[in-house]
Amino acid sequence: MALALATTGTIAAAGSHRHCHCPLLVLLPLLLLLLVLQQLALPVDGSSGIPTTLDGPFPPTTRAFDRSLRQGSADVPLTDPRLAPRLDPPAPEQIALAASSDPTSVWVSWVTGRGRVGSHLTPLDPAAVRSEVLYGYRSTTIATAYPHVARGGAEVYSQLYPYPGLLNYTSGVLHHVRLRGLRPGARYYYRCGDASLSGGLSEERSFVTMPAPGPSSYPRRVAVVGDLGLTGNSTATVDHLARNDPSLILLVGDMVYANQYRTTGGKGASCFSCSFPDAPIRESYQPRWDGWGRFMEPITSKIPMMVIEGNHEIEPQGHGGAVTFASYLARFAVPSEESGSNTKFYYSFNAGGIHFIMLGAYVDYNRTSAQYSWLEKDLQRVDRRVTPWVVAAWHSPWYNSYSSHYQEFECMRQEMEQLLKLRYLLFHLDATQVHAYERMNRVFNYTLDPCGPVYITVGDGGNIEKIDIDHADDPGKCPSPGDNLPEFGGLCHLNFTSGPAKGKFCWDRQPEWSAFRESSFGHGILEVAPFTSNVF
Ligand SMILES: [Fe+2]
């Protein structure tokens, strides 16, 4: 018996004739967040058929969950044909695309060679194989017929555990090439690899660049997924996502769960302490990343996928776990330089009329931090006449009424919420960490606010951990402040200062800022349609 495949509900984010008396707000197009199952969670607006978030606030609603369905799903084995190597080196594998900060540029990444596990490993030489992409407007069976060639760089990383019983790993060669001078909204055909080597080029693939920035063009469909993992449930989510044929994917942290593979034996059993009792840090089994890259390649070689780090990407290694995020930083290309962040932990990009901001919840987010000052500058650069929509995404929800991770990232909210609220109307995709779905009413500082952003938690792509079903307002389910400790940052838990929960840490009913919640696996689809009425 399977858990529900996808998240539910259909909402729209802007009404046509509502007025929000906020400063600095401009034309607002209609944005539809279509979450992929068919059931409507909200009452239907008579004119459009879809209520907008400005029709709210909506009465808090919880879709009941049959607790007997709360079953985990085992990891897909690395011998599965979708995870196992399909080609021999030097053929490229794990091919993946990422958007750059604007649609004239696209990143192409892939892996050559094999990642290896053992006690004494010599890393591969990244200079021994070229990083090149041959591409053009037309499909061709002749590699030399492509009119353009782009070249980039390559690297390897190692995951090292100087403790008995823990396996070391060194990666294949990870290539990243940036194509430039592309036309927006155009299809390109490409092969990647090393054209000088026999069998060194991939088969031809193709992709479509993002639409040009502007208020009247939008990515057709943006898939949002988080906490994905590599289980049977993950494969159902990814299959479903592929059927929805998105033009862009946001993967908002916790991608592979390599750090739980050996501690759970791939079975979803939570036994973190028994697997490596003598080691001060937990081994993260890096071949899972390679299996995941192969599993995702049919999608990621065609559709740009934008990632941001989650806690399962921390993967501490070295003495005492001093080195972190090695796999995340080496495997993914993101437009960090292009967006002025110069770190893969946070960045931004435009896709049509949407400015996407990917924030790092596991690097310093305080007001004195580099990330905060980058965000200030990034927001100042946004021209709302060009990108009327600003969508921010990060891994750890600020608003969350589930018991799991309840108020875990209060410090981040308290540091950054004012900056985002004062300047811009945003959609926040707090996609993940909490393994369930929740959509908030427009809210600021835990108070309903028609000028506040809409927060959406799209929390479970199907990882090895089970779905979250307890709410902090359920009898006996209010966590104690020490239950949800963030893996980065401090503790800023608070009791509510007004409203029905005044003076208390948890509400005694679903909070008014929580519009709808449901425990389910799946992904979300974000659709934006041009809308010309003057909303504000
Ligand atoms: Fe997480």
Side-chain angles (χ1 to χ4, degrees), residues 5 30 90 92 118 147 195 245 248 278 281 286 306 319 328 395 400 436 495 520 527:
L5 177 63
L30 179 66
D245 191 23
L248 178 70
D278 299 325
I281 55 176
Q286 296 299 295
M306 311 307 289
H319 285 285
Y328 170 77
H395 183 68
N400 161 42
N495 289 343
S520 61
E527 292 188 350

Side-chain angles (χ1 to χ4, degrees), residues 99-344:
S100 184
S101 55
D102 72 68
T104 65
S105 182
V106 163
W107 284 96
V108 183
S109 301
W110 68 94
V111 179
T112 54
R114 290 273 185 272
R116 288 162 296 140
V117 168
S119 21
H120 299 288
L121 299 167
T122 302
L124 295 174
D125 177 9
V129 58
R130 291 186 198 167
S131 309
E132 51 193 11
V133 177
L134 288 59
Y135 63 101
Y137 300 134
R138 293 191 178 82
S139 175
T140 176
T141 57
I142 306 168
T144 54
Y146 292 101
H148 305 292
V149 180
R151 295 188 172 83
E155 60 187 303
V156 299
Y157 79 94
S158 295
Q159 191 81 10
L160 304 175
Y161 299 104
Y163 301 105
L166 303 192
L167 296 171
N168 294 328
Y169 169 90
T170 188
S171 72
V173 179
L174 309 164
H175 304 262
H176 303 295
V177 174
R178 184 180 169 200
L179 315 188
R180 301 167 193 246
L182 307 177
R183 292 184 307 182
R187 180 172 292 281
Y188 285 85
Y189 297 85
Y190 74 98
R191 295 173 193 241
C192 61
D194 183 341
S196 72
L197 300 175
S198 174
L201 274 184
S202 72
E203 292 181 351
E204 184 181 82
R205 314 295 175 96
S206 75
F207 63 87
V208 177
T209 53
M210 291 294 106
S216 58
S217 62
Y218 291 91
R220 186 174 38 78
R221 283 184 149 186
V222 181
V224 184
V225 65
D227 292 359
L228 182 55
L230 195 46
T231 70
N233 282 328
S234 316
T235 65
T237 292
V238 171
D239 289 347
H240 194 189
L241 185 152
R243 288 199 299 276
N244 276 301
D245 191 23
S247 44
L248 178 70
I249 300 168
L250 302 187
L251 177 45
V252 195
D254 287 2
M255 300 157 201
V256 180
Y257 288 74
N259 68 329
Q260 289 195 359
Y261 184 65
R262 293 233 302 156
T263 50
T264 64
K267 302 296 183 188
S270 294
C271 184
F272 304 133
S273 60
C274 60
S275 296
F276 307 109
D278 299 325
I281 55 176
R282 187 195 307 177
E283 178 191 316
S284 188
Y285 191 63
Q286 296 299 295
R288 295 298 291 176
W289 277 100
D290 294 310
W292 185 83
R294 296 181 197 111
F295 172 72
M296 295 294 288
E297 181 182 330
I299 294 175
T300 57
S301 62
K302 297 188 301 185
I303 303 166
M305 180 175 72
M306 311 307 289
V307 300
I308 199 68
E309 75 276 10
N311 55 306
H312 286 272
E313 279 71 65
I314 298 175
E315 302 189 300
Q317 59 166 307
H319 285 285
V323 178
T324 54
F325 289 107
S327 180
Y328 170 77
L329 292 172
R331 288 179 183 271
F332 295 105
V334 298
S336 51
E337 288 184 22
E338 300 98 295
S339 62
S341 85
N342 299 314
T343 168
K344 291 183 177 179

Side-chain angles (χ1 to χ4, degrees), residues 394-407:
W394 59 90
H395 183 68
S396 304
W398 292 354
Y399 288 92
N400 161 42
S401 68
Y402 287 83
S403 303
S404 175
H405 303 287
Y406 185 74
Q407 288 202 16

